[in-house]
Amino acid sequence: MTLHKKAPLLNLREGLAGLSVLSSAAMRRTVHLSARLASVRRASSAASAASHKPPSDVSVYVHWPFCTAICPYCDFNRYLDRDVDHSAMCASLLRQINAFVGPRGLLPGRAVKSIFFGGGTPSLAKPSTIAAVISHVRSVAGTTTDDLEVTMEMNPTSVEIQRLEEFAHAGVNRVSIGVQSLIDADLSYLGRRHTAKEAVHAVELACRIFPYVSLDLIYARHRQQTVQSWRQELQAALALGTRHMSLYQLTLHPGTSFHRRSQSQGGGVALPLSDSIADMYEVNIEECSRMGLQQYEVSNFAVPGEESRHNLQYWSAGDYIGVGPGAEGCFTDNAGTTWHTRAIRKPAPWLASLADGGLGLDMHESVPMDDILSNALIAAMRTLKGLPHGRFLQLSRGRSMHEVLDMDFVQRAQAGGLIVLDAAGLRPTQRGLAVADAILRDLTPARS
């Protein structure tokens, strides 16, 4: 049985005029919601800025953009690992951290709750660079806690596996391992440079070294992948004992090799049919739950209490800064203005800007109210926790959900078992997570 075929969902989908599983892209949702929320900014302009108090904490994302190879599905900001000046990269990362959370930065005095090293391939950085960044954040930020979450993405190649203990000694306490598949033929198809045997060894070793280990897998990889083969592969991955899983559906992003091949006749990239993808999504929930990992976001599962605190900061509309080439941030400053920043994408001009005393940014602009609310709703409706009333009131400068949301739609979606709006706030049900994109299209009323 698939999500498409279940009668209750079909009836609900007809009643709500178009809800669908695994629907439109996030960019279209953002534009749509922004247009529909445009009047919120105008209506709330008279509200006191004091009601939009900035959060007391912030998360730090650190982007290391270098890779040994470019995966055919990846659309992140990444470059081949050639002649990297590790000393200059380290110094520039520290300068950019100062610009945000240092005593004279944009967010002085903020407590840092998490650091996340992403990429690219951050495990290609020297352990001394990772240690310097962590130490610098602890020394210049307002405060950090002893249980500061420090995550690093890594690939399970033999070279990177040899450095696990060094990264742990540097201060990393959580690793996210890009296994992606436990089938060698599919690893080759995905452009990965490790084998299934290496991946298993990496996970087992990481579980002995780090207190928190997450495993990443990609499903719905190609037309030949069946629901049963995916179930068996996921069971094998769960048997490795990790307490956090990130399970991502393969997406053919424009500009990637896979997307170009999918557009050409005989290009060799054909994804499973939508019913099979929906069945695989159900398998994720069933198998993870069977092993004690509960779904807390569309693609993420964890033993209760071991969710990614850093990613929860994004999904709860919390503040985060981005350092490193191409890294993005979104935060509210101490005066109550929300800003969106993006670092210069290419490493050479990013390094030059910071060496010359600049901020290393190519964008630093205020975020209008309609975008603040649409982004918060988009992120929150991907999680079972959703968006609390208190945070919504902060973001909307005092306007309640009942004033902003389309309450007729909310009532129908609640009756259909897709969302909950109660004293805690707004959140999707587990069924609602599967149609979150479509819910967002109708969640806010059209306004003139």
Side-chain angles (χ1 to χ4, degrees):
M1 299 264 301
T2 72
L3 289 174
H4 293 287
K5 296 174 183 175
K6 289 180 178 175
L9 186 55
L10 275 173
N11 293 338
L12 179 63
R13 187 171 53 190
E14 293 164 1
L16 297 183
L19 288 184
S20 60
V21 174
L22 305 172
S23 54
S24 59
M27 184 57 71
R28 294 207 305 274
R29 300 198 316 267
T30 303
V31 172
H32 183 81
L33 274 172
S34 295
R36 303 179 82 172
L37 285 165
S39 68
V40 175
R41 176 174 43 174
R42 298 191 295 270
S44 63
S45 61
S48 169
S51 67
H52 189 38
K53 295 180 181 178
S56 60
D57 55 37
V58 65
S59 289
V60 177
Y61 173 75
V62 183
H63 191 75
W64 187 267
F66 304 108
C67 294
T68 56
I70 304 300
C71 296
Y73 56 86
C74 179
D75 70 337
F76 296 154
N77 186 43
R78 71 280 187 266
Y79 306 89
L80 289 175
D81 186 17
R82 295 172 178 165
D83 301 320
V84 177
D85 187 337
H86 286 263
S87 177
M89 282 293 299
C90 181
S92 295
L93 288 172
L94 302 189
R95 290 191 191 104
Q96 199 162 43
I97 289 168
N98 277 341
F100 284 108
V101 296
R104 297 183 181 180
L106 299 172
L107 298 173
R110 290 290 181 88
V112 173
K113 67 183 301 182
S114 65
I115 304 172
F116 192 105
F117 293 92
T121 310
S123 48
L124 294 176
K126 291 184 176 181
S128 59
T129 296
I130 302 301
V133 168
I134 298 169
S135 176
H136 194 66
V137 169
R138 287 189 179 275
S139 66
V140 303
T143 57
T144 58
T145 59
D146 290 337
D147 63 346
L148 175 73
E149 181 187 83
V150 182
T151 303
M152 171 184 281
E153 292 179 339
M154 64 160 292
N155 294 324
T157 64
S158 57
V159 173
E160 292 165 74
I161 291 171
Q162 293 172 4
R163 306 169 82 181
L164 287 180
E165 290 188 351
E166 292 181 82
F167 288 127
H169 183 72
V172 174
N173 53 30
R174 184 178 184 274
V175 290
S176 179
I177 305 177
V179 172
Q180 315 310 3
S181 175
L182 290 176
I183 299 173
D184 284 337
D186 283 7
L187 287 171
S188 178
Y189 164 75
L190 293 169
R192 307 299 290 176
R193 297 171 68 87
H194 63 272
T195 65
K197 183 177 180 180
E198 286 177 320
V200 169
H201 176 60
V203 173
E204 292 174 342
L205 183 59
C207 286
R208 293 197 293 269
I209 295 174
F210 297 95
Y212 304 103
V213 176
S214 179
L215 190 156
D216 292 4
L217 290 175
I218 295 174
Y219 69 99
R221 298 187 288 259
H222 48 69
R223 191 68 56 85
Q224 289 70 41
Q225 186 180 31
T226 67
V227 175
Q228 183 57 28
S229 69
W230 169 240
R231 185 185 295 275
Q232 293 170 348
E233 186 177 359
L234 180 55
Q235 288 173 343
L238 287 164
L240 296 175
T242 59
R243 297 164 65 84
H244 189 287
M245 298 282 288
S246 295
L247 307 175
Y248 300 111
Q249 178 190 336
L250 179 63
T251 302
L252 305 181
H253 296 287
T256 64
S257 173
F258 268 3
H259 184 266
R260 290 190 295 272
R261 288 164 55 187
S262 72
Q263 301 301 301
S264 63
Q265 189 172 6
V269 178
L271 300 182
L273 300 177
S274 57
D275 275 5
S276 293
I277 294 173
D279 281 341
M280 292 179 192
Y281 177 81
E282 284 193 335
V283 166
N284 297 345
I285 298 170
E286 293 168 4
E287 293 300 328
C288 287
S289 178
R290 187 174 61 85
M291 297 297 288
L293 280 69
Q294 301 303 310
Q295 185 179 31
Y296 69 100
E297 191 266 347
V298 171
S299 302
N300 285 271
F301 303 78
V303 171
E306 297 199 13
E307 301 85 356
S308 167
R309 280 182 268 164
H310 185 88
N311 286 339
L312 284 172
Q313 183 82 344
Y314 298 148
W315 298 324
S316 62
D319 280 2
Y320 61 95
I321 64 169
V323 300
E328 298 195 32
C330 188
F331 54 85
T332 301
D333 65 20
N334 293 342
T337 301
T338 299
W339 299 92
H340 179 198
T341 66
R342 183 179 61 225
I344 298 168
R345 287 179 60 85
K346 292 187 176 180
W350 176 80
L351 287 165
S353 172
L354 288 158
D356 290 342
L359 297 177
L361 302 176
D362 68 7
M363 184 178 68
H364 181 196
E365 59 187 30
S366 61
V367 184
M369 178 64 68
D370 50 316
D371 286 350
I372 293 171
L373 291 179
S374 65
N375 291 338
L377 286 168
I378 287 168
M381 292 302 287
R382 291 182 60 88
T383 73
L384 287 173
K385 183 179 180 181
L387 190 61
H389 285 294
R391 184 61 179 141
F392 188 89
L393 288 169
Q394 281 186 324
L395 296 170
S396 66
R397 303 197 180 209
R399 286 172 62 83
S400 71
M401 291 186 186
H402 289 80
E403 294 176 271
V404 175
L405 303 181
D406 183 338
M407 294 309 297
D408 287 339
F409 176 82
V410 169
Q411 290 172 5
R412 286 184 286 137
Q414 281 203 106
L418 291 184
I419 64 174
V420 175
L421 179 61
D422 58 16
L426 176 73
R427 61 189 181 277
T429 62
Q430 193 165 65
R431 288 179 63 212
L433 280 181
V435 292
D437 291 358
I439 291 172
L440 286 161
R441 290 201 300 267
D442 294 315
L443 193 55
T444 54
R447 302 176 188 269
S448 59

